[in-house]
Amino acid sequence: LYLSLNCRILSQLSAGLSLDDRTNYYTYEIRSLADSLFDDAMRYGLRANMNWRLPSQWSGFVNGGLRKREIDSQNTYSYAAGLQKANLSALHLYMNINASGFVNYYSDGYYGSLQLGRSFRNGHDLSLEYGNYTYALRQGGGTRTNQWLRLNGSLQLVKGLYVTEQYEY
């Protein structure tokens, strides 16, 4: 079950509420512990969000969530925020800064990323992104931190048809 309600409060401000009770099925081949922890915490349950557009081509969002399952002894709380800027310089760069986190009985995690990119004519795009996530398993599992650097690109072949690439270190 997935329900979502979004409402434009003002021309620059919108808010929403969603309920997500869908299930992802992971196999041993595609399951990454950190990815599944973040996916579970940041998507499932009840979430509220707010998005705004500011002058000078700034925009941002905040959201928070709550998940309570019968098998959990405590709720899972999650949160996220982001800030975007278009036409950052004379080069027409864009910038995205995102942060998120979750806390529950079993683990807690934090995620942050910074992306700088440029959109070109005809739908082409190139960006560089740095990201980091850290999570800790509370039951003696220790802490793990992953960092990455990504080069993303897209090339529009014809209207609506793209070729994308991503290189990650």
Side-chain angles (χ1 to χ4, degrees):
L1 174 68
Y2 177 74
L3 301 171
S4 177
L5 172 66
N6 288 294
C7 178
R8 182 163 305 280
I9 299 169
L10 301 169
S11 62
Q12 301 88 5
L13 181 66
S14 64
L17 192 62
S18 65
L19 174 66
D20 191 341
D21 195 29
R22 298 174 292 177
T23 302
N24 277 343
Y25 293 95
Y26 299 104
T27 68
Y28 75 94
E29 295 171 320
I30 62 170
R31 181 183 176 107
S32 162
L33 181 60
D35 290 346
S36 61
L37 287 173
F38 276 90
D39 185 54
D40 287 353
M42 298 303 296
R43 192 170 60 107
Y44 299 122
L46 184 63
R47 296 198 69 73
N49 66 68
M50 188 170 294
N51 300 284
W52 64 89
R53 290 182 311 189
L54 300 170
S56 301
Q57 297 184 324
W58 284 93
S59 61
F61 73 91
V62 293
N63 68 50
L66 167 68
R67 180 181 184 193
K68 174 63 177 158
R69 297 183 306 175
E70 292 177 12
I71 61 171
D72 294 338
S73 60
Q74 292 181 348
N75 295 338
T76 295
Y77 299 97
S78 59
Y79 50 88
L83 191 60
Q84 297 84 36
K85 170 72 169 118
N87 290 321
L88 186 61
S89 68
L91 297 173
H92 302 288
L93 298 175
Y94 61 84
M95 175 191 68
N96 297 314
I97 299 172
N98 293 300
S100 62
F102 67 89
V103 176
N104 62 34
Y105 177 76
Y106 306 104
S107 58
D108 55 61
Y110 309 96
Y111 166 91
S113 70
L114 171 65
Q115 180 184 37
L116 257 149
R118 185 165 194 279
S119 296
F120 299 92
R121 292 181 186 192
N122 302 322
H124 311 318
D125 186 84
L126 185 64
S127 69
L128 184 64
E129 176 183 4
Y130 168 77
N132 177 344
Y133 68 72
T134 300
Y135 67 91
L137 300 175
R138 295 182 178 217
Q139 306 301 320
T143 300
R144 178 159 182 190
T145 299
N146 282 4
Q147 299 176 358
W148 65 88
L149 193 58
R150 285 188 191 127
L151 179 62
N152 304 297
S154 65
L155 186 64
Q156 182 173 328
L157 301 176
V158 294
K159 184 103 175 137
L161 182 61
Y162 294 84
V163 172
T164 62
E165 57 74 28
Q166 182 179 79
Y167 176 77
E168 181 175 321
Y169 173 77

